[in-house]
Structures are given as structure tokens and as C-alpha cells.
Amino acid sequence: QEKLFSNLLDDDVSRALESLPEEFRTVVILCDIEEFTYEEIADFVECPIGTVRSRLHRGRKMLRAKLTRYAKNRGYDTDEDAHD
């Protein structure tokens, strides 16, 4: 899995993703990269859909915090107020 994503994603993004705690990293990968539904993810990780949504929200928030500088360096708008 790590080899696959390291080839698809920039090194900084890969490192940020890999630095997430496993339960958050798993749902972010399954939802945002693999495009599984919440129901499919809940079945895969054996937890309620509400837990999947919570982990996804928290995982994305952790990634956003880790990748703010990366995004700024590449010209993306990183206005924190737009995301909250």
C-alpha cells in the first residue's frame, strides 16, 4: 500500500498521510483515494458509519494542518477561515 501511494502522491503528501494514526489514515485513503462509500468503509473497518464520518473529518483536519505550508508553496489558497 505504501509503495502504491508513494508513486501517486508527492513525497510531502505521502509523508503527511503516513504520519496520521492508522484508524484515520485508513478511512482517508479508502474514501478520498480509493473512493469507497461510507458504508463500504464501515464494513471494511468494522465500525459504525458515524465513526467513519468522524474519523474522516478528523483525519482530513489533521492532513490540512500538516499540509498548509506545502499548499502555500504550490500557490493554493490556504485561508483557514474558508475551511472551518
Side-chain angles (χ1 to χ4, degrees):
Q1 181 180 26
E2 184 177 338
K3 288 180 185 178
L4 172 67
F5 295 118
S6 66
N7 290 334
L8 294 175
L9 302 172
D10 186 287
D11 288 342
D12 292 333
V13 176
S14 294
R15 278 192 295 276
L17 190 56
E18 287 299 318
S19 74
L20 295 179
E22 183 177 353
E23 64 270 17
F24 299 104
R25 180 176 62 241
T26 299
V27 297
V28 169
I29 289 171
L30 291 174
C31 185
D32 294 338
I33 297 174
E34 295 294 329
E35 298 182 348
F36 281 63
T37 66
Y38 290 167
E39 292 82 7
E40 291 169 327
I41 297 167
D43 287 342
F44 184 81
V45 298
E46 299 177 343
C47 71
I49 291 174
T51 302
V52 169
R53 288 182 177 137
S54 175
R55 289 179 184 174
L56 186 57
H57 174 76
R58 291 177 62 202
R60 287 173 175 166
K61 191 172 182 175
M62 286 185 257
L63 273 177
R64 184 181 333 130
K66 293 174 182 291
L67 293 173
T68 298
R69 182 179 301 141
Y70 170 86
K72 283 182 182 180
N73 289 341
R74 283 154 183 79
Y76 292 99
D77 179 16
T78 59
D79 181 12
E80 290 297 321
D81 294 332
H83 301 289
D84 293 334

